[in-house]
Structures are given as structure tokens and as C-alpha cells.
Amino acid sequence: MVKTKPIAEGDLSSTKHIANRVKRQEVYQRIKKGKKDVKKAKKEQRKKDAEDPEKKDKPKAVPKTLDNMREEDETILLSEDEEVMNDEDEDEFAKYFDGETPKTIITSANKPSKKVIELIKALLQLFPGSYYYERRNFDIKDIAKWAGERGFTNLVILGQGLQLGGHKKNPCELLLIHLPEGPSLHFRLTSVQLSDEIKVGGVKAG
């Protein structure tokens, strides 16, 4: 029986540097067999350790991972940290994640176009607890004050006009104000498409 010469760990790299094809195949088979023998030996050793009463009760080795090898960083706060828990308790948006429904007013510029009215209808279906009120000639500050005093949590105002070569009757902006004290976000709207204008999809669920 011909014994194959064991291959050192450093030799388990590549055989591309071997020009002779026969020799390259021979070395490759040796590498392959060496890996297989190592794997078999480890398996047999684990089996022996499991049957050995002295090693049976030894704690299993914990595999090294990025988490258990990471050095402790004082700047990282855990979810159960007291500071984090206090911040979550004071978060004004936390109640909405606990099931409370926000109350939103949606309005627009005076004399909204058909396109803006269609977008308003879509937003009323999208946002729970939303209501539409005509803008008339009221100032934004007056609307926000009135809505905040009546328990509304958000104010959405849609604008229309020329923008990026669009039509004057198309919606061009959306102002979102969180009541009563903000913050406020301003969005530019371009190429607005409603669900019935989308060729593939746009089917309402439920």
C-alpha cells in the first residue's frame, strides 16, 4: 500500500503554479485527501470526547463571533439602559406605536384643482383619522392653532402650481406640520401618480 505524504497546512493553497498537468492533479488529490483526513479525525475525536466521562461534563467551546469578540464600547447603549428607557418614555411619538391613532387635518390652497382634490381623496384613504377642511382665506398659523386646540395632531397642506415645467393645476408641494409645536416638513411633489394611474399594480388591498 502506498502511503501519501501528509501535506502541511501552508501547502493547502493553490496548485496553479504547477505547470505539469499530471503532477498538478496528483498534488490536488493529496490536498483533497488531506482535508478529508483532517475532517474525519476531528469527527472521531469529538465522538471519543463525548464518550469520555471526564470530558463529557466539560463546557462546550463557544464559537468566536463578531459579537462576543467585540470590545466593550462605552459609547454604545443597550436597549435596557436606563437613559434609553427614559428617552423612549418621553418620546412624543411613542403613543402612536402603542395603538393610538393620530388625528390629521388635510387642506389645500384656495380653489384646488381636480388633480389636487383626487390626491386629497387618496390621502384620506391612506391616513387613518384624517379629515378634509376647505382652506378658504385662513392663514397657516391660524389653522394650526385652531387644529391644535381641538386635539388634532397633524396638519397637511397641499399646494399647486408651476414647477419643473409642470402644469399650474398639478400638486407641487406638501407641508406637514406636527401639532401643536412642530416639527414641520416641506416636500416638493413632481409627477404625482395616483393608484388608478399606475399601469401595473395600484390595486387597493382589503
Side-chain angles (χ1 to χ4, degrees):
M1 180 178 180
V2 179
K3 293 185 179 180
T4 57
K5 182 181 178 182
I7 301 175
E9 186 177 351
D11 295 336
L12 301 179
S13 53
S14 175
T15 59
K16 292 182 179 180
H17 63 283
I18 302 176
N20 188 285
R21 181 180 177 183
V22 177
K23 186 66 176 179
R24 186 168 62 247
Q25 288 288 341
E26 180 183 343
V27 173
Y28 172 77
Q29 292 299 329
R30 285 172 52 197
I31 293 174
K32 187 176 180 181
K33 186 178 184 304
K35 290 181 178 180
K36 188 176 180 180
D37 291 344
V38 170
K39 187 176 180 180
K40 183 179 178 181
K42 288 182 178 180
K43 185 177 180 179
E44 291 178 352
Q45 185 62 44
R46 286 195 299 268
K47 187 177 180 181
K48 291 180 180 179
D49 293 342
E51 296 173 353
D52 191 341
E54 295 182 0
K55 296 183 178 181
K56 191 174 183 179
D57 298 331
K58 289 181 64 176
K60 294 183 178 180
V62 179
K64 293 182 179 180
T65 63
L66 290 176
D67 289 331
N68 60 29
M69 292 179 64
R70 184 181 292 115
E71 296 182 2
E72 185 176 354
D73 189 347
E74 296 179 356
T75 62
I76 297 178
L77 297 177
L78 302 176
S79 58
E80 62 269 15
D81 185 86
E82 183 178 356
E83 183 179 349
V84 175
M85 296 177 69
N86 290 336
D87 288 342
E88 291 179 350
D89 292 338
E90 296 175 1
D91 185 2
E92 60 180 315
F93 296 104
K95 54 187 177 182
Y96 302 123
F97 294 99
D98 292 335
E100 184 172 331
T101 302
K103 196 176 178 183
T104 304
I105 281 184
I106 301 177
T107 187
S108 64
N110 289 326
K111 298 180 181 179
S113 65
K114 182 180 178 182
K115 188 79 172 181
V116 173
I117 293 175
E118 290 175 350
L119 178 57
I120 290 172
K121 291 179 180 179
L123 293 177
L124 289 171
Q125 292 180 342
L126 178 65
F127 298 135
S130 58
Y131 305 85
Y132 171 70
Y133 287 84
E134 290 185 12
R135 172 72 177 274
R136 299 181 182 176
N137 293 319
F138 291 105
D139 188 74
I140 294 178
K141 291 183 179 179
D142 295 333
I143 298 174
K145 181 180 178 182
W146 181 89
E149 291 174 350
R150 285 157 179 77
F152 285 92
T153 57
N154 301 289
L155 172 60
V156 175
I157 302 175
L158 293 170
Q160 67 185 53
L162 295 172
Q163 183 174 346
L164 297 178
H167 194 275
K168 64 181 180 180
K169 293 185 178 181
N170 286 341
C172 66
E173 62 180 357
L174 185 151
L175 179 62
L176 171 61
I177 304 173
H178 183 64
L179 303 173
E181 299 178 353
S184 300
L185 297 173
H186 180 267
F187 301 92
R188 171 185 280 185
L189 304 179
T190 58
S191 303
V192 176
Q193 282 189 309
L194 302 179
S195 59
D196 56 354
E197 297 174 323
I198 301 174
K199 292 183 179 180
V200 181
V203 180
K204 291 184 290 185

